[in-house]
Amino acid sequence: MRTFLFPRIAAVALLIGGIHPVFAQVVPVPAPDTTRKYENPAGVSSPEKAQWYKSKLFRATVIPAALITYGAVTAQGNAGINRQSREFVRKQFRPVNSMIDNTVIFLPYLELGAVALAGVESRDDRLNTLLVIAKGEAIMLASVYAVKYLSREQRPDGSNNQSFPSGHTAQAFLAASIVHTEFRNKSQWYGVGAYTIASSVAALRMINDKHWQSDVVAGAGFGILSAHLAYLSHRNRWGRKSIGRGIGLAPAYFGSGASGMTITWRATR
Protein backbone atom coordinates (compact mmCIF):
# COMPACT_ATOMS: atom_id res chain seq x y z
CA MET A 1 0.00 0.00 0.00
CA ARG A 2 2.75 2.47 0.94
CA THR A 3 4.69 1.51 -2.15
CA PHE A 4 1.69 2.43 -4.28
CA LEU A 5 0.95 5.66 -2.36
CA PHE A 6 4.27 7.42 -2.89
CA PRO A 7 4.16 7.35 -6.72
CA ARG A 8 0.62 8.74 -6.65
CA ILE A 9 1.62 11.58 -4.36
CA ALA A 10 4.54 12.41 -6.64
CA ALA A 11 2.26 12.35 -9.68
CA VAL A 12 -0.21 14.70 -8.01
CA ALA A 13 2.60 17.11 -7.09
CA LEU A 14 3.85 17.15 -10.68
CA LEU A 15 0.32 17.74 -11.95
CA ILE A 16 -0.20 20.68 -9.58
CA GLY A 17 3.13 22.14 -10.58
CA GLY A 18 2.15 21.93 -14.24
CA ILE A 19 -1.23 23.57 -13.67
CA HIS A 20 0.08 26.25 -11.29
CA PRO A 21 3.66 27.15 -12.27
CA VAL A 22 3.98 29.46 -9.28
CA PHE A 23 4.33 26.42 -7.02
CA ALA A 24 7.17 25.06 -9.12
CA GLN A 25 8.88 28.37 -9.94
CA VAL A 26 12.57 28.58 -9.11
CA VAL A 27 13.76 32.08 -8.17
CA PRO A 28 16.54 32.95 -10.61
CA VAL A 29 19.82 34.12 -9.15
CA PRO A 30 20.83 37.48 -10.69
CA ALA A 31 24.09 37.45 -12.57
CA PRO A 32 26.89 39.37 -10.90
CA ASP A 33 27.57 42.84 -12.26
CA THR A 34 31.05 42.67 -13.71
CA THR A 35 31.00 46.10 -15.34
CA ARG A 36 32.44 47.74 -12.21
CA LYS A 37 34.41 44.89 -10.71
CA TYR A 38 37.68 46.84 -10.86
CA GLU A 39 36.41 49.99 -9.09
CA ASN A 40 36.50 48.46 -5.62
CA PRO A 41 37.83 44.87 -5.82
CA ALA A 42 38.20 44.56 -2.05
CA GLY A 43 34.63 45.59 -1.43
CA VAL A 44 35.69 48.17 1.15
CA SER A 45 33.35 51.10 1.49
CA SER A 46 34.95 54.42 0.62
CA PRO A 47 35.58 56.72 3.58
CA GLU A 48 33.33 59.69 3.99
CA LYS A 49 34.69 62.95 2.67
CA ALA A 50 35.92 65.17 5.47
CA GLN A 51 34.09 68.40 6.08
CA TRP A 52 35.81 71.46 4.61
CA TYR A 53 36.06 73.14 8.01
CA LYS A 54 37.98 70.15 9.36
CA SER A 55 40.65 70.22 6.67
CA LYS A 56 44.26 71.09 7.52
CA LEU A 57 44.26 74.02 5.13
CA PHE A 58 41.22 75.64 6.73
CA ARG A 59 42.48 75.17 10.28
CA ALA A 60 45.89 76.55 9.29
CA THR A 61 44.54 79.67 7.59
CA VAL A 62 41.38 80.67 9.50
CA ILE A 63 43.10 82.57 12.34
CA PRO A 64 45.78 84.38 10.28
CA ALA A 65 43.16 85.20 7.63
CA ALA A 66 40.98 86.80 10.30
CA LEU A 67 43.92 88.86 11.57
CA ILE A 68 44.90 90.02 8.09
CA THR A 69 41.29 90.87 7.23
CA TYR A 70 40.88 92.90 10.41
CA GLY A 71 44.10 94.77 9.74
CA ALA A 72 43.10 95.54 6.16
CA VAL A 73 39.64 96.78 7.18
CA THR A 74 40.95 99.06 9.94
CA ALA A 75 43.94 100.38 7.93
CA GLN A 76 42.66 103.94 7.68
CA GLY A 77 45.75 105.89 8.63
CA ASN A 78 45.28 108.41 11.42
CA ALA A 79 41.56 107.76 11.77
CA GLY A 80 39.15 105.50 13.58
CA ILE A 81 40.58 102.86 15.88
CA ASN A 82 44.09 103.54 14.59
CA ARG A 83 43.98 107.08 15.93
CA GLN A 84 42.43 106.02 19.22
CA SER A 85 45.05 103.32 19.76
CA ARG A 86 47.89 105.70 18.93
CA GLU A 87 46.64 108.33 21.37
CA PHE A 88 46.29 105.73 24.12
CA VAL A 89 49.79 104.32 23.57
CA ARG A 90 51.40 107.78 23.48
CA LYS A 91 49.76 108.67 26.81
CA GLN A 92 50.81 105.45 28.52
CA PHE A 93 54.31 104.85 27.13
CA ARG A 94 57.40 106.69 25.99
CA PRO A 95 59.38 105.72 22.91
CA VAL A 96 62.35 103.40 23.46
CA ASN A 97 65.51 102.71 21.52
CA SER A 98 64.62 101.21 18.15
CA MET A 99 67.55 98.78 18.46
CA ILE A 100 65.41 96.83 20.91
CA ASP A 101 62.84 96.22 18.17
CA ASN A 102 65.49 94.89 15.83
CA THR A 103 66.87 92.54 18.48
CA VAL A 104 63.75 91.14 20.11
CA ILE A 105 62.31 89.89 16.81
CA PHE A 106 64.88 87.07 16.74
CA LEU A 107 64.45 85.99 20.38
CA PRO A 108 61.96 83.22 19.48
CA TYR A 109 64.62 81.66 17.26
CA LEU A 110 67.08 81.88 20.14
CA GLU A 111 64.51 80.12 22.29
CA LEU A 112 64.19 77.44 19.62
CA GLY A 113 67.94 76.84 19.59
CA ALA A 114 68.30 76.95 23.37
CA VAL A 115 65.51 74.41 23.93
CA ALA A 116 66.96 72.11 21.26
CA LEU A 117 70.43 72.32 22.80
CA ALA A 118 68.92 71.53 26.19
CA GLY A 119 67.94 68.13 24.82
CA VAL A 120 64.20 68.65 24.31
CA GLU A 121 63.09 66.61 21.32
CA SER A 122 61.38 68.71 18.67
CA ARG A 123 58.81 67.63 16.11
CA ASP A 124 61.32 67.64 13.24
CA ASP A 125 65.04 67.08 13.18
CA ARG A 126 67.38 70.04 12.84
CA LEU A 127 67.76 69.78 9.07
CA ASN A 128 64.04 69.81 8.41
CA THR A 129 63.45 72.55 10.96
CA LEU A 130 65.99 74.73 9.14
CA LEU A 131 64.26 73.99 5.85
CA VAL A 132 60.88 75.00 7.30
CA ILE A 133 62.42 78.21 8.66
CA ALA A 134 63.95 79.06 5.29
CA LYS A 135 60.69 78.38 3.48
CA GLY A 136 58.67 80.36 6.02
CA GLU A 137 61.05 83.31 5.79
CA ALA A 138 60.78 83.33 2.00
CA ILE A 139 56.97 83.26 2.10
CA MET A 140 56.80 85.95 4.77
CA LEU A 141 59.24 88.36 3.11
CA ALA A 142 57.66 87.99 -0.31
CA SER A 143 54.11 88.50 0.91
CA VAL A 144 54.81 91.31 3.39
CA TYR A 145 56.88 93.45 1.05
CA ALA A 146 54.50 92.88 -1.83
CA VAL A 147 51.64 94.22 0.29
CA LYS A 148 53.80 97.08 1.54
CA TYR A 149 54.50 98.09 -2.05
CA LEU A 150 50.85 97.87 -3.05
CA SER A 151 49.27 99.52 0.00
CA ARG A 152 51.78 102.40 0.43
CA GLU A 153 50.43 103.20 3.90
CA GLN A 154 52.23 106.09 5.61
CA ARG A 155 53.79 105.39 8.99
CA PRO A 156 52.50 107.24 12.07
CA ASP A 157 55.75 109.21 12.34
CA GLY A 158 55.63 110.07 8.63
CA SER A 159 59.07 108.57 7.92
CA ASN A 160 57.94 106.62 4.83
CA ASN A 161 54.94 104.93 3.23
CA GLN A 162 55.75 101.30 4.10
CA SER A 163 53.66 100.96 7.22
CA PHE A 164 51.19 98.19 6.32
CA PRO A 165 51.80 95.47 7.38
CA SER A 166 54.45 95.41 10.10
CA GLY A 167 57.46 93.41 8.94
CA HIS A 168 58.95 93.25 12.45
CA THR A 169 55.72 91.80 13.83
CA ALA A 170 55.46 89.31 10.96
CA GLN A 171 59.03 88.16 11.59
CA ALA A 172 58.45 87.71 15.31
CA PHE A 173 55.18 85.78 14.89
CA LEU A 174 56.69 83.57 12.19
CA ALA A 175 59.43 82.51 14.59
CA ALA A 176 56.96 82.11 17.46
CA SER A 177 54.70 79.88 15.35
CA ILE A 178 57.61 77.63 14.46
CA VAL A 179 58.60 77.33 18.12
CA HIS A 180 55.03 76.49 19.06
CA THR A 181 54.71 73.84 16.32
CA GLU A 182 58.03 72.18 17.12
CA PHE A 183 57.54 71.88 20.89
CA ARG A 184 53.79 71.94 21.53
CA ASN A 185 53.77 68.17 22.06
CA LYS A 186 56.31 68.60 24.84
CA SER A 187 54.86 71.66 26.56
CA GLN A 188 52.54 74.49 25.56
CA TRP A 189 54.66 76.90 27.61
CA TYR A 190 57.33 77.05 24.91
CA GLY A 191 54.77 78.49 22.54
CA VAL A 192 53.37 80.81 25.21
CA GLY A 193 56.84 82.26 25.78
CA ALA A 194 57.49 82.70 22.07
CA TYR A 195 54.14 84.38 21.41
CA THR A 196 54.69 86.67 24.40
CA ILE A 197 57.96 87.83 22.84
CA ALA A 198 56.24 88.34 19.48
CA SER A 199 53.46 90.37 21.11
CA SER A 200 56.06 92.55 22.80
CA VAL A 201 57.56 93.29 19.38
CA ALA A 202 54.15 94.44 18.13
CA ALA A 203 53.77 96.65 21.21
CA LEU A 204 57.24 98.17 20.75
CA ARG A 205 56.50 99.07 17.13
CA MET A 206 53.44 101.00 18.27
CA ILE A 207 55.27 102.58 21.23
CA ASN A 208 58.01 103.82 18.91
CA ASP A 209 55.33 105.29 16.62
CA LYS A 210 56.44 103.14 13.69
CA HIS A 211 53.17 101.31 13.09
CA TRP A 212 49.42 101.61 13.51
CA GLN A 213 47.50 98.95 15.36
CA SER A 214 46.17 97.68 12.03
CA ASP A 215 49.75 97.15 10.85
CA VAL A 216 50.80 94.95 13.75
CA VAL A 217 47.61 92.88 13.74
CA ALA A 218 47.98 92.17 10.03
CA GLY A 219 51.72 91.54 10.51
CA ALA A 220 50.93 88.87 13.10
CA GLY A 221 48.58 87.25 10.60
CA PHE A 222 51.19 87.24 7.85
CA GLY A 223 53.78 85.70 10.18
CA ILE A 224 51.50 82.92 11.41
CA LEU A 225 50.24 82.21 7.90
CA SER A 226 53.78 81.97 6.52
CA ALA A 227 54.74 79.41 9.17
CA HIS A 228 51.63 77.31 8.55
CA LEU A 229 52.11 77.34 4.78
CA ALA A 230 55.74 76.32 5.23
CA TYR A 231 54.69 73.26 7.23
CA LEU A 232 51.83 72.36 4.91
CA SER A 233 54.10 72.46 1.87
CA HIS A 234 56.90 70.53 3.59
CA ARG A 235 55.79 67.06 2.50
CA ASN A 236 59.10 65.36 1.77
CA ARG A 237 61.30 64.97 4.81
CA TRP A 238 65.00 65.27 4.12
CA GLY A 239 67.59 63.22 5.93
CA ARG A 240 65.56 60.03 6.31
CA LYS A 241 67.67 58.18 3.73
CA SER A 242 71.36 58.51 3.28
CA ILE A 243 72.40 60.41 0.16
CA GLY A 244 74.01 58.19 -2.46
CA ARG A 245 72.31 54.95 -1.50
CA GLY A 246 72.69 52.41 -4.33
CA ILE A 247 75.65 54.27 -5.90
CA GLY A 248 79.15 52.82 -5.91
CA LEU A 249 82.51 54.12 -7.11
CA ALA A 250 85.54 52.01 -7.95
CA PRO A 251 88.85 52.60 -9.75
CA ALA A 252 89.24 50.89 -13.13
CA TYR A 253 92.14 50.01 -15.44
CA PHE A 254 91.40 49.74 -19.18
CA GLY A 255 94.79 48.70 -20.50
CA SER A 256 97.44 50.65 -22.47
CA GLY A 257 98.03 52.73 -19.35
CA ALA A 258 94.50 54.13 -19.30
CA SER A 259 92.79 54.27 -15.97
CA GLY A 260 89.59 55.79 -14.71
CA MET A 261 86.65 55.41 -12.42
CA THR A 262 83.58 53.22 -12.75
CA ILE A 263 80.23 54.20 -11.33
CA THR A 264 77.64 51.59 -10.45
CA TRP A 265 74.06 52.41 -9.68
CA ARG A 266 71.47 50.08 -8.20
CA ALA A 267 67.87 51.05 -8.80
CA THR A 268 65.70 50.94 -5.71
CA ARG A 269 61.97 50.92 -5.44
Side-chain angles (χ1 to χ4, degrees), residues 29-122:
V29 179
D33 183 11
T34 60
T35 59
R36 299 182 178 181
K37 62 181 180 179
Y38 297 109
E39 292 184 1
N40 190 8
V44 181
S45 59
S46 58
E48 296 182 0
K49 187 177 181 180
Q51 299 293 336
W52 59 271
Y53 56 85
K54 294 182 180 180
S55 64
K56 291 183 178 180
L57 181 62
F58 176 79
R59 290 184 295 175
T61 57
V62 59
I63 293 179
L67 295 174
I68 295 172
T69 302
Y70 171 83
V73 170
T74 59
Q76 303 172 356
N78 192 19
I81 191 172
N82 274 351
R83 182 175 183 177
Q84 298 172 9
S85 301
R86 185 191 183 201
E87 291 177 353
F88 173 80
V89 170
R90 295 182 70 179
K91 289 180 180 178
Q92 301 296 327
F93 304 97
R94 294 181 179 179
V96 297
N97 193 331
S98 60
M99 287 298 297
I100 299 178
D101 304 4
N102 300 327
T103 302
V104 176
I105 58 175
F106 296 109
L107 287 183
Y109 282 147
L110 292 179
E111 178 188 356
L112 177 67
V115 174
L117 290 176
V120 180
E121 185 178 358
S122 58

Side-chain angles (χ1 to χ4, degrees), residues 2-226:
R2 292 181 180 177
T3 304
F4 180 72
L5 183 60
F6 286 134
R8 296 184 62 181
I9 294 175
V12 172
L14 290 174
L15 179 62
I16 294 175
I19 298 173
H20 302 283
V22 69
F23 291 101
Q25 183 179 3
V26 178
V27 179
V29 179
D33 183 11
T34 60
T35 59
R36 299 182 178 181
K37 62 181 180 179
Y38 297 109
E39 292 184 1
N40 190 8
V44 181
S45 59
S46 58
E48 296 182 0
K49 187 177 181 180
Q51 299 293 336
W52 59 271
Y53 56 85
K54 294 182 180 180
S55 64
K56 291 183 178 180
L57 181 62
F58 176 79
R59 290 184 295 175
T61 57
V62 59
I63 293 179
L67 295 174
I68 295 172
T69 302
Y70 171 83
V73 170
T74 59
Q76 303 172 356
N78 192 19
I81 191 172
N82 274 351
R83 182 175 183 177
Q84 298 172 9
S85 301
R86 185 191 183 201
E87 291 177 353
F88 173 80
V89 170
R90 295 182 70 179
K91 289 180 180 178
Q92 301 296 327
F93 304 97
R94 294 181 179 179
V96 297
N97 193 331
S98 60
M99 287 298 297
I100 299 178
D101 304 4
N102 300 327
T103 302
V104 176
I105 58 175
F106 296 109
L107 287 183
Y109 282 147
L110 292 179
E111 178 188 356
L112 177 67
V115 174
L117 290 176
V120 180
E121 185 178 358
S122 58
R123 169 185 165 176
D124 297 306
D125 55 44
R126 295 181 182 179
L127 175 60
N128 287 285
T129 302
L130 290 175
L131 290 173
V132 169
I133 291 174
K135 191 180 299 183
E137 291 285 344
I139 296 172
M140 184 273 296
L141 292 173
S143 58
V144 165
Y145 282 96
V147 176
K148 280 180 177 291
Y149 177 79
L150 295 174
S151 62
R152 302 186 67 83
E153 180 78 14
Q154 189 176 31
R155 294 183 185 271
D157 62 357
S159 58
N160 57 45
N161 57 358
Q162 296 183 356
S163 185
F164 183 86
S166 171
H168 283 67
T169 306
Q171 174 65 72
F173 273 88
L174 165 63
S177 297
I178 292 176
V179 172
H180 172 68
T181 303
E182 290 296 328
F183 297 109
R184 63 185 175 187
N185 293 332
K186 297 300 179 180
S187 176
Q188 293 290 338
W189 288 107
Y190 296 118
V192 171
Y195 279 121
T196 300
I197 296 172
S199 300
S200 67
V201 172
L204 287 171
R205 298 305 285 172
M206 293 181 64
I207 291 173
N208 286 337
D209 210 27
K210 290 295 183 180
H211 284 288
W212 309 100
Q213 63 86 31
S214 59
D215 302 337
V216 298
V217 173
F222 276 102
I224 297 172
L225 180 63
S226 299

